[in-house]
Amino acid sequence: MSDITQLPRLHPDRLGALPAVVRRPSYPRERLRAGIVHLGVGAFHRGHQAEITEAAIEAAGERGLQWGIVGVSLRRPDTRDALKAQDGLYTLSLRSADAEQLRVIGALIDVLVAEEDPEVVLDRIAHRDTRIVSLTVTEKGYCHDPATGALNREDRVIVEDLCGSAHPVTAIGYLARGLQRRMERGLGPVTLLSCDNLASNGDTLRGVLLAFCAEIDPALRDWVAARCTFPNSMVDRIVPKTTADDIARVSGALGRYDAWPVVGEPFFQWVIEERFAAGRPDWEAGGAQFVADAKPFEVLKHRLVNGSQSMMAYMGVLAGWPTTDRVIAQPAVRTFISDTMARETQPTLPPLPGLDVDAYRASLLPRFTNPALGHRTRQIAMDGSQKIPQRLLAPIRERIAAGLPFPRLALGVAAWLHFLRGYDESGNAFPIEDPLAQPLAAAMAQAARDTEKLFDAHARERTRVRIIAGFAPVFGDLGQSHEFVDTVATQLEALCAHGVTGALTRVNQTT
């Protein structure tokens, strides 16, 4: 890295010196105006929405120059610090097993750090140029109950924001206070666009934001409800965390030091409901698809893509397989993921006219196998309480209602419960990174106490599952389902007795 940092910095003045194979902005970047404010300007946003906005700006000519992006980091200044010397430029590296495409993205024209200067962020949301405020703040950033989608009024930071602290802390607080300024200044409405992996992400954002607004200003609640729009959307692209090796490789290929490139897979899908209050970029130019109802596509991605990733992640962490390509290379895992998708998950999907679901499902195993991404299982395993409800519990509910078995999905849930112990099969400890880590740990401790004197293995695991599944913010009423508790307990018993590989071997023999 020391040699790489000695290279000239990636900068607008040096774009002409980049290798010819590297794509770069072809529009007058100095004339961009910020039509989009994006909260959560991490790798995921820079690896999908910013790239597609880049394509839209280039395709629309003069009209596209209104769609520059101001990114907002809610807390950490690392993205701002890395990109400031580059005037917001960064490289997107799309990698497959045998090829890499490099593109310098210019759509990001500024990065703000909310914690350092909240007034600037609020004024940017309330700026007359702003037409869209989008979000990738992860599931936990919505401060909601994962099982119901409702605003969690017991969340400490939500309580702070509702009590009128000097400046907001949460994304929801920033949205509410920024929109309040728009209303007071007589400015027009905006579109609030969630790009996070939430069930009905636009509807969820609308619900938590309106509930928050109603607490602080009923007139604001009515203004937002009547004038702003909240399209549901689904984004599908694997974007792992950038590593030091990625920075070195990309910088070497550019001949310029890029302090924070983004790595992603070539595959891309973005499905968005056509509901925009103040216009939008020509995102079709980058491959976005506009529909009347995005929810079926959300369900498709949450259950087939994200559900498979979560199961691979928990099994990988437990067994000591650090990346998803290493996990899916295990024959037992590959069979398990393929059978889970085909036998248990796909039958729960809603109708998807015009989509060959069998072909889509078949395309996922090669994507998971991509060794160029190095998608780490520990990264995917974070925040399970926010992910498990829509990825695994939702299809399980439907299978229970239909009287259908779900041993494979149950093994995925059991793997998460086993993961919550905080150590792998070799006895190596790891932290549980989850916004509900404390109440989950309390439920685990209660289960340990209540099963301490139970010597029958199935009775022990059944009691354990019943206690943990009684945690309603994650499981809703599933803890009251004997079928759910018994099926998950059977798989948890197998994991405890035989380890990940043994449990997989057994469930793979299930018809």
Side-chain angles (χ1 to χ4, degrees):
M1 284 298 295
S2 59
D3 292 336
I4 294 297
T5 60
Q6 298 308 307
L7 290 170
R9 195 69 173 260
L10 178 66
H11 190 271
D13 294 342
R14 304 187 181 108
L15 289 176
L18 294 177
V21 295
V22 179
R23 292 185 64 181
R24 67 211 74 183
S26 63
Y27 50 87
R29 188 167 178 265
E30 69 279 0
R31 292 172 53 199
L32 281 178
R33 302 192 310 279
I36 301 172
V37 175
H38 184 83
L39 307 186
V41 61
F44 188 53
H45 161 71
R46 293 193 292 131
H48 76 85
Q49 185 185 348
E51 184 207 14
I52 305 311
T53 302
E54 183 85 357
I57 293 170
E58 292 190 334
E62 184 74 23
R63 184 169 47 85
L65 297 177
Q66 64 184 310
W67 295 113
I69 302 170
V70 169
V72 177
S73 292
L74 290 173
R75 292 176 181 83
R76 298 196 305 269
D78 45 4
T79 301
R80 188 272 317 275
D81 293 348
L83 300 186
K84 185 175 182 179
Q86 300 173 188
D87 196 28
L89 296 177
Y90 67 92
T91 311
L92 175 62
S93 163
L94 300 182
R95 302 190 72 199
S96 60
D98 55 3
E100 181 174 37
Q101 307 165 43
L102 298 178
R103 180 176 191 176
V104 175
I105 304 297
L108 185 64
I109 58 178
D110 199 5
V111 177
L112 309 176
V113 181
E115 193 170 69
E116 293 181 1
D117 202 339
E119 284 294 319
V120 172
V121 174
L122 293 172
D123 278 341
R124 176 48 65 180
I125 294 173
H127 196 283
R128 65 177 60 255
D129 284 346
T130 300
R131 318 273 280 282
I132 296 171
V133 182
S134 51
L135 302 86
T136 48
V137 293
T138 75
E139 294 91 340
K140 64 185 175 185
Y142 292 77
C143 304
H144 69 305
D145 270 345
T148 65
L151 180 69
N152 180 5
R153 288 179 170 82
E154 297 181 3
D155 188 307
R156 177 184 57 81
V157 287
I158 283 292
V159 171
E160 288 180 19
D161 278 356
L162 286 174
C163 288
S165 57
H167 292 106
V169 177
T170 65
I172 302 303
Y174 271 100
L175 290 177
R177 299 299 181 181
L179 292 173
Q180 190 173 40
R181 292 189 183 190
R182 291 191 73 87
M183 180 183 71
E184 292 169 348
R185 294 173 183 179
L187 296 175
V190 295
T191 299
L192 289 306
L193 177 62
S194 170
C195 299
D196 281 299
N197 282 324
L198 294 169
S200 301
N201 55 8
D203 295 339
T204 298
L205 174 59
R206 186 178 192 275
V208 296
L209 181 59
L210 290 182
F212 187 99
C213 290
E215 297 276 349
I216 64 171
D217 182 355
L220 173 64
R221 188 263 174 215
D222 294 342
W223 186 87
V224 173
R227 307 194 66 192
C228 296
T229 56
F230 298 79
N232 293 300
S233 71
M234 180 277 279
V235 181
D236 190 1
R237 168 171 274 169
I238 297 172
V239 182
K241 184 178 180 179
T242 302
T243 66
D245 287 343
D246 295 328
I247 295 171
R249 186 190 67 257
V250 170
S251 297
L254 295 176
R256 297 288 182 269
Y257 175 48
D258 184 345
W260 210 327
V262 176
V263 175
E265 64 171 338
F267 180 90
F268 173 83
Q269 186 180 27
W270 191 12
V271 180
I272 318 166
E273 291 176 353
E274 185 66 278
R275 292 193 284 119
F276 288 80
R280 62 168 177 81
D282 295 339
W283 279 322
E284 299 96 331
Q289 177 184 357
F290 288 88
V291 297
D293 183 6
K295 293 177 187 177
F297 295 91
E298 290 179 1
V299 173
L300 172 80
K301 195 224 175 180
H302 292 160
R303 298 185 185 184
L304 286 185
V305 182
N306 300 134
S308 298
Q309 288 177 317
S310 286
M311 292 189 290
M312 287 191 292
Y314 297 121
M315 293 175 185
V317 172
L318 292 171
W321 304 318
T323 58
T324 53
D325 60 294
R326 287 274 303 277
V327 178
I328 202 68
Q330 311 301 317
V333 176
R334 194 176 184 91
T335 298
F336 168 74
I337 293 297
S338 179
D339 286 353
T340 302
M341 290 193 295
R343 297 186 182 189
E344 296 188 16
T345 307
Q346 185 172 333
T348 71
L349 299 178
L352 286 149
L355 180 69
D356 185 338
V357 180
D358 288 335
Y360 179 88
R361 171 171 51 81
S363 74
L364 294 180
L365 291 178
R367 290 175 60 195
F368 296 149
T369 306
N370 186 348
L373 296 179
H375 204 185
R376 302 197 66 80
T377 51
R378 283 284 302 278
Q379 178 190 356
I380 302 169
M382 293 170 56
D383 302 336
S385 68
Q386 313 297 299
K387 300 171 179 177
I388 292 296
Q390 64 262 26
R391 298 183 182 191
L392 301 180
L393 300 183
I396 285 175
R397 288 178 189 279
E398 293 186 21
R399 292 190 71 82
I400 290 174
L404 297 171
F406 52 97
R408 296 168 183 83
L409 288 168
L411 179 56
V413 176
W416 179 54
L417 299 183
H418 213 39
F419 166 89
L420 289 175
R421 300 175 309 163
Y423 56 89
D424 64 22
E425 293 180 350
S426 298
N428 301 309
F430 51 80
I432 303 300
E433 299 178 71
D434 194 294
L436 297 179
Q438 290 186 345
L440 286 169
M444 295 283 287
Q446 181 65 48
R449 289 191 295 270
D450 287 9
T451 58
E452 186 177 10
K453 296 182 180 180
L454 293 176
F455 298 103
D456 178 81
H458 187 71
R460 183 172 59 248
E461 300 312 329
R462 190 184 188 287
T463 301
R464 190 186 311 277
V465 173
R466 178 178 53 77
I467 291 170
I468 300 170
F471 185 56
V474 172
F475 292 93
D477 60 358
L478 275 175
Q480 301 171 31
S481 167
H482 297 298
E483 188 172 1
F484 175 79
V485 171
D486 282 339
T487 307
V488 175
T490 296
Q491 300 304 332
L492 188 55
E493 182 183 357
L495 279 171
C496 292
H498 307 291
V500 169
T501 301
L504 285 167
T505 299
R506 283 162 173 74
V507 82
N508 285 344
Q509 296 169 351
T510 305
T511 57

